[in-house]
Amino acid sequence: MAPLLLLLLAGGGTLAQDDGYRGIWYYNQPSNDEFKYKYSGGFATYPQQHAPIAIYSKQANKTFFCYGGTVKGKQELLHMVSYYDHATGMVPRPRLLLNKRTDDAHDNPTISIDSGGHIWIFSSAHGTARPSYIHRSRKPYSVDEFELVEETNFSYTQPWHFAGRGFLFLHTRYAGGRGLFSMTSADGVQWTAPRKVAFAMQGHYQISWPWKDKLGTAFDVHPPPLGLNARTNLYYMETGDFGASWKTVDGHPVDLPIEEEKNAALVRNYRSEGRLVYLKDLNYDAEGRPVIVYLTSKGYESGPKNGPREIMAARWTGQQWRYTKICETDHNYDHGSLYIEGRRWRFIGPTGPGPQKYGTGGEVEEWESKDDGVTWQRTRALTAGSRFNHTYVRRPLNAHPDFYAFWADGDAFGESESRLYFANARGEVFRLPFEMKGESQKPERVRARKE
């Protein structure tokens, strides 16, 4: 059974409810200058290496999501799960799955839904100091009751469920660095042994996304001596056989595990160009060709000295990789998401200068391309005149137009409350209720406020 201090029950196996949607505030690596930290802010939807954190279910007509919440009045990470009901336009009080006994947002959860409609929550750990968990809902399309499936250890979770096959679970394991691993399971209960996928130099970060029966992953490498603060290079590979083998974008096999910086999956050697690489998102065009969104900069420290910070799109044309700049932004950790709808491509992220300039996040903007990512232009601001910076705009799996992007806000330069938001495909922004009086409530429409 789950430790009683971790599984938050209201009695009879039903998870307790919180009285509002409150996100975790987190910082990493103080910089001892006017920019305060390497990164910081409202990190309920952090990090981009955790995916998916929201999934639209057509069968339930709900978008189920999880996030990093906190104990009221303090920063103590709670794993929260809830949903947006598209039929009513309302959200219930969020459920408290567990208390991670940390303020580290690297421990934030991810979500998956199996073919029978059961909700799965993968609770990460940042390294090996704390355990990780897998929980499964007792009833299909319900977040009221969960059961513990496994207590173990893994980081940076990316659980993908494929109908008829089960789970292909990409994740990280720590042992002298950040190694990329995979496991598979037909039922989520019995898992294969972890398979090492990549561990070159001091390790990697990765992002991944499915397209039909294919799963692709884009990753970087961490060279010594700075390791993750020197992250660089761009790699891509994909599998069409449930992780049994991996190949390059043009079909050549990739020998696993990857243990060298230069390998078959290398897309572009940014280390030779003196640029760092911060992965943002991975998506596919109508033909199943990958598009990788990432940021390049001169260094890991916040502030203007490491600019220009360019958000780039690397798109596979069928014959070669083409690179285009979407926009510039003012922080390495300004993370957004790519939406591809035919020839209309959109990038939504906190690329506008926020109230905490050169801090993590900013005002949320939309950038659009009508020519398959060749050229981009800013089309609108989703937020303006905000009190805090907005951070980590995330795309749900099977995103519904009414719950299209999901993020949080927070003060980038000091501990603060953090609220959660979502936007629809029309660019309208809604704030999830911070404090609730009833059992369910409609989110509040937020209009961009000019200074």
Side-chain angles (χ1 to χ4, degrees):
M1 292 295 293
L4 293 179
L5 290 176
L6 289 173
L7 197 59
L8 300 175
L9 301 178
T14 301
L15 295 184
Q17 294 175 304
D18 205 348
D19 64 357
Y21 291 79
R22 292 176 287 272
I24 188 78
W25 186 93
Y26 176 69
Y27 75 89
N28 187 278
Q29 195 168 333
S31 56
N32 300 313
D33 58 20
E34 66 268 37
F35 308 113
K36 303 297 184 181
Y37 309 103
K38 183 172 74 172
Y39 60 85
S40 55
F43 276 22
T45 60
Y46 165 92
Q48 81 286 353
Q49 300 101 322
H50 287 195
I53 65 168
I55 304 175
Y56 172 67
S57 166
K58 183 177 180 180
Q59 292 82 357
N61 197 24
K62 296 175 180 176
T63 294
F64 294 93
F65 58 88
C66 61
Y67 63 94
T70 190
V71 175
K72 187 183 293 188
K74 58 191 297 190
Q75 302 300 337
E76 186 169 296
L77 181 63
L78 302 177
H79 283 192
M80 309 297 298
V81 58
S82 191
Y83 60 84
Y84 174 78
D85 189 329
H86 292 268
T88 65
M90 304 181 80
V91 293
R93 291 187 177 215
R95 297 284 182 177
L96 288 69
L97 179 64
L98 60 85
N99 185 326
K100 260 319 213 107
R101 303 302 186 203
T102 180
D103 63 357
D104 190 344
H106 289 86
D107 280 35
N108 277 349
T110 53
I111 193 169
S112 190
I113 303 178
D114 65 24
S115 297
H118 289 93
I119 314 298
W120 294 74
I121 301 295
F122 291 73
S123 296
S124 185
H126 188 197
T128 59
R130 293 178 295 276
S132 305
Y133 304 92
I134 301 175
H135 287 91
R136 173 183 182 267
S137 68
R138 293 187 182 275
K139 299 177 182 178
Y141 308 114
S142 172
V143 299
D144 294 348
E145 300 178 28
F146 281 79
E147 59 186 353
L148 178 67
V149 173
E150 186 168 358
E151 177 180 339
T152 180
N153 180 261
F154 44 65
S155 304
Y156 297 111
T157 57
Q158 298 170 25
W160 302 108
H161 188 272
F162 291 85
R165 301 294 298 270
F167 294 95
L168 174 51
F169 180 35
L170 305 186
H171 61 282
T172 296
R173 291 177 181 264
Y174 279 69
R178 295 163 179 80
L180 303 183
F181 286 76
S182 70
M183 297 191 301
T184 61
S185 174
D187 59 5
V189 178
Q190 300 296 322
W191 291 87
T192 61
R195 180 192 186 191
K196 185 187 293 185
V197 176
F199 205 154
M201 297 181 131
Q202 292 186 359
H204 316 267
Y205 288 131
Q206 72 176 340
I207 55 176
S208 60
W209 204 260
W211 187 80
K212 296 185 177 180
D213 293 330
K214 175 173 73 176
L215 181 67
T217 179
F219 53 102
D220 59 17
V221 72
H222 305 167
L226 291 180
L228 66 92
N229 281 338
R231 68 190 74 181
T232 189
N233 290 353
L234 184 65
Y235 302 86
Y236 175 83
M237 61 184 184
E238 58 190 38
T239 178
D241 57 9
F242 204 54
S245 64
W246 293 81
K247 60 184 180 181
T248 62
V249 70
D250 54 354
H252 293 94
V254 178
D255 294 330
L256 300 185
I258 291 171
E259 295 180 323
E260 301 293 335
E261 177 188 9
K262 295 181 180 180
N263 58 74
L266 181 62
V267 171
R268 183 164 172 174
N269 188 336
Y270 273 103
R271 188 151 82 111
S272 67
E273 301 177 35
R275 302 289 288 178
L276 304 190
V277 170
Y278 291 78
L279 300 165
K280 304 299 177 188
D281 200 9
L282 171 64
N283 206 341
Y284 293 86
D285 67 14
E287 304 300 321
R289 296 174 297 202
V291 184
I292 310 166
V293 177
Y294 57 100
L295 177 150
T296 67
S297 74
K298 295 178 183 177
Y300 72 89
E301 303 96 337
S302 299
K305 69 176 182 179
N306 286 319
R309 294 178 172 87
E310 298 180 331
I311 295 182
M312 303 287 296
R315 55 191 180 89
W316 177 250
T317 66
Q319 289 80 37
Q320 61 183 325
W321 290 99
R322 292 279 178 85
Y323 305 92
T324 55
K325 183 173 80 171
I326 298 175
C327 62
E328 294 186 10
T329 191
D330 68 3
H331 199 278
N332 292 334
Y333 292 83
D334 290 348
H335 284 285
S337 293
L338 176 67
Y339 299 79
I340 297 179
E341 299 153 337
R343 296 205 69 189
R344 187 190 187 197
W345 298 12
R346 288 191 278 179
F347 177 77
I348 302 175
T351 57
Q356 292 90 49
K357 192 174 182 181
Y358 292 110
T360 308
E363 299 289 9
V364 179
E365 298 181 322
E366 178 186 272
W367 297 78
E368 183 179 58
S369 173
K370 296 181 179 179
D371 53 10
D372 297 331
V374 177
T375 59
W376 294 83
Q377 63 179 1
R378 179 182 176 275
T379 53
R380 57 187 167 190
L382 277 66
T383 67
S386 302
R387 181 185 177 192
F388 297 138
N389 282 5
H390 298 266
T391 55
Y392 286 85
V393 177
R394 307 299 303 277
R395 172 167 52 98
L397 182 63
N398 309 321
H400 188 285
D402 291 341
F403 196 106
Y404 203 60
F406 180 42
W407 72 87
D409 72 357
D411 191 328
F413 294 154
E415 183 177 331
S416 71
E417 294 178 337
S418 173
R419 289 165 168 78
L420 289 106
Y421 301 77
F422 67 93
N424 61 29
R426 298 183 298 277
E428 298 168 330
V429 175
F430 299 84
R431 183 164 45 225
L432 295 177
F434 192 73
E435 292 183 347
M436 301 177 66
K437 296 180 179 178
E439 290 300 307
S440 60
Q441 189 171 320
K442 282 198 172 186
E444 172 193 4
R445 172 76 187 278
V446 179
R447 300 184 186 276
R449 179 171 55 86
K450 301 298 183 181
E451 292 289 358

